[in-house]
């Protein structure tokens, strides 16, 4: 596919793009051209579409609501079913609203794909951490515990004293104690988009993200690192990557092939896979992050001396 037409120009001081909701599939390793191992989290964009648009004139602020994941109609409440029907999209599993700048507003029903992001940029991933239940201070806060030898009577993993002296005569608020651990919103900042899979709508981000496999997370452009670098050097599409007619045809062909069971994955063999690869040879299957110019292990130093 090519770049969509009518792309807006970036304003480094105010442009803010919409994010997506993605399914956390799990983690896997990959090795770059230098032989360095990268731990990657796989995030799948399951037909992410715009379900509502809020503007400053009507709502007082600019925002875009998106939904992801295909939900069964009987699993959706009547209120949400009417909401999705009005937007002209299929029922979604997860919804999320993202504040955006005026130049990043999208029409209702617009689809967001993995091409919304560019390999080499950084993203923030927000999700609900795994619930651990009630945990002690050693697991919850990393306390070292008490002595494991003489003088300790069955309190090896206890917190110990929690209060002060007669003045103030109480325990300070916020004292680290045993209690409920996990199940809270957390954001993993500045994760590198290592590569994307344009056919299966997969994001491969470097590092771990909150939550369990099978849960949904919010993915946005990194806020603490300069967006000017990503927008200028990498050319982030604003407001998003606009699919061409060729992209739409390729998606339809790929989804039909998967639905028929002809393609289960890359390298499975068979005439169907060979025909598909030949048909889509002009479209890159994976867009990979540009490798660093520094060899971290020095394994190629001998080549420079020749």
């Amino acid at each position: 596919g090519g770049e969509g037409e009518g792309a807006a120009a970036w304003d480094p001081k105010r442009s803010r793009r919409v994010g997506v909701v993605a399914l956390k599939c799990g983690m896997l390793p990959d090795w770059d051209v230098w032989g360095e191992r990268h731990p990657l989290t796989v995030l799948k964009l399951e037909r992410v579409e715009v379900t509502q648009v809020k503007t400053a004139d009507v709502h007082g602020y600019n925002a875009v609501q998106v939904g992801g994941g295909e939900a069964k109609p009987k699993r959706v409440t009547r209120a949400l079913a009417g909401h999705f029907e009005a937007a002209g999209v299929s029922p979604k599993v997860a919804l999320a609203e993202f504040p955006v700048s005026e130049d990043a507003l999208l029409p209702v029903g617009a689809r967001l794909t993995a091409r919304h992001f560019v390999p080499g940029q950084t993203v923030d991933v927000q999700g609900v951490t795994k619930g651990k239940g009630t945990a002690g201070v050693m697991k919850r806060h990393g306390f070292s515990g008490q002595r494991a030898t003489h003088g300790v009577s069955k309190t090896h993993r206890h917190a110990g004293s929690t209060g002060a002296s007669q003045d103030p005569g109480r325990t300070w608020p916020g004292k680290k104690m045993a209690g409920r651990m996990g199940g809270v919103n957390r954001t993993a900042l500045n994760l590198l988009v290592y590569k994307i899979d344009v056919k299966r709508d997969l994001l491969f981000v470097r590092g771990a993200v909150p939550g369990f496999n099978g849960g949904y997370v919010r993915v946005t452009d990194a806020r603490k690192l300069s967006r000017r670098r990503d927008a200028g050097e990498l050319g982030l599409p604003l407001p998003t990557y606009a699919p061409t007619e060729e992209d739409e045809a390729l998606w339809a062909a790929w989804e039909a092939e998967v639905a028929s069971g002809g393609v289960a994955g890359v390298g499975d063999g068979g005439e169907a896979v060979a025909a598909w690869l030949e048909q889509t040879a002009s479209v890159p299957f994976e867009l990979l992050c540009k490798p660093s110019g520094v060899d971290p292990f020095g394994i190629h130093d001998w080549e420079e001396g020749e």
Side-chain angles (χ1 to χ4, degrees):
E3 294 295 335
E5 299 179 357
W10 267 90
D11 183 349
K13 294 184 178 180
R14 59 183 298 272
S15 292
R16 184 177 184 181
R17 302 195 308 162
V18 66
V20 301
V21 286
L23 177 71
K24 180 180 176 181
C25 300
M27 295 191 71
L28 53 80
D30 195 14
W31 286 262
D32 61 15
V33 295
W34 302 115
E36 184 177 6
R37 182 181 185 275
H38 297 273
L40 305 177
T41 299
V42 184
L43 304 175
K44 181 174 178 58
L45 279 64
E46 295 186 311
R47 198 166 188 84
V48 179
E49 296 173 310
V50 176
T51 55
Q52 187 179 9
V53 178
K54 296 183 178 180
T55 60
D57 296 337
V58 178
H59 303 90
Y61 64 101
N62 295 317
V64 174
Q65 183 192 84
V66 301
E70 298 290 337
K72 294 182 179 179
K74 66 178 182 179
R75 298 290 185 183
V76 178
T77 63
R78 291 185 179 181
L80 282 178
H83 181 64
F84 295 134
E85 184 178 358
V89 300
S90 57
K92 304 298 181 183
V93 176
L95 289 174
E97 181 179 296
F98 300 91
V100 299
S101 55
E102 187 176 358
D103 57 353
L105 290 172
L106 289 165
V108 174
R111 183 174 176 181
L112 298 169
T113 68
R115 296 292 293 270
H116 182 69
F117 300 98
V118 177
Q121 78 166 106
T122 52
V123 294
D124 296 338
V125 182
Q126 181 186 19
V128 180
T129 59
K130 294 180 181 179
K132 303 293 184 178
T134 303
V137 292
M138 293 183 68
K139 179 175 181 178
R140 191 183 186 200
H141 299 296
F143 282 19
S144 61
Q146 301 186 39
R147 294 180 64 184
T149 55
H150 304 289
V152 178
S153 299
K154 300 181 181 180
T155 58
H156 306 283
R157 298 182 61 88
H158 286 210
S161 176
T162 60
S165 181
Q166 183 174 353
D167 181 18
R170 62 189 177 95
T171 300
W172 292 104
K175 176 67 178 177
K176 294 179 180 179
M177 296 183 180
R180 186 174 181 269
M181 181 180 179
V184 295
N185 279 314
R186 288 293 181 265
T187 304
L189 301 175
N190 306 327
L191 301 182
L192 175 71
V193 178
Y194 183 79
K195 65 180 178 179
I196 64 175
D197 185 326
V198 298
K199 291 181 182 176
R200 294 186 175 90
D201 268 346
L202 299 177
L203 294 176
F204 296 82
V205 298
R206 192 179 191 281
V209 304
F212 54 86
N213 297 342
Y216 286 87
V217 295
R218 296 163 51 106
V219 186
T220 58
D221 297 332
R223 297 288 293 166
K224 290 190 175 182
L225 288 183
S226 175
R227 285 171 293 155
R228 302 182 186 181
R229 179 190 67 86
D230 288 347
E233 299 180 8
L234 301 176
L236 300 185
L238 183 73
T240 187
Y241 177 82
T244 62
E245 294 182 359
E246 182 184 5
D247 293 331
E248 296 286 356
L250 291 173
W251 282 333
W254 176 255
E255 291 174 353
E257 196 75 17
V258 173
S260 64
V263 176
V266 181
D268 291 333
E271 297 180 359
V273 176
W276 168 258
L277 293 177
E278 182 179 357
Q279 176 187 358
T280 61
S282 60
V283 180
F285 178 68
E286 290 182 343
L287 299 181
L288 188 63
C289 174
K290 182 179 179 181
S292 172
V294 179
D295 184 355
F297 300 110
I299 59 178
H300 294 283
D301 290 344
W302 59 272
E303 296 178 354
E304 299 177 0
E306 294 181 353

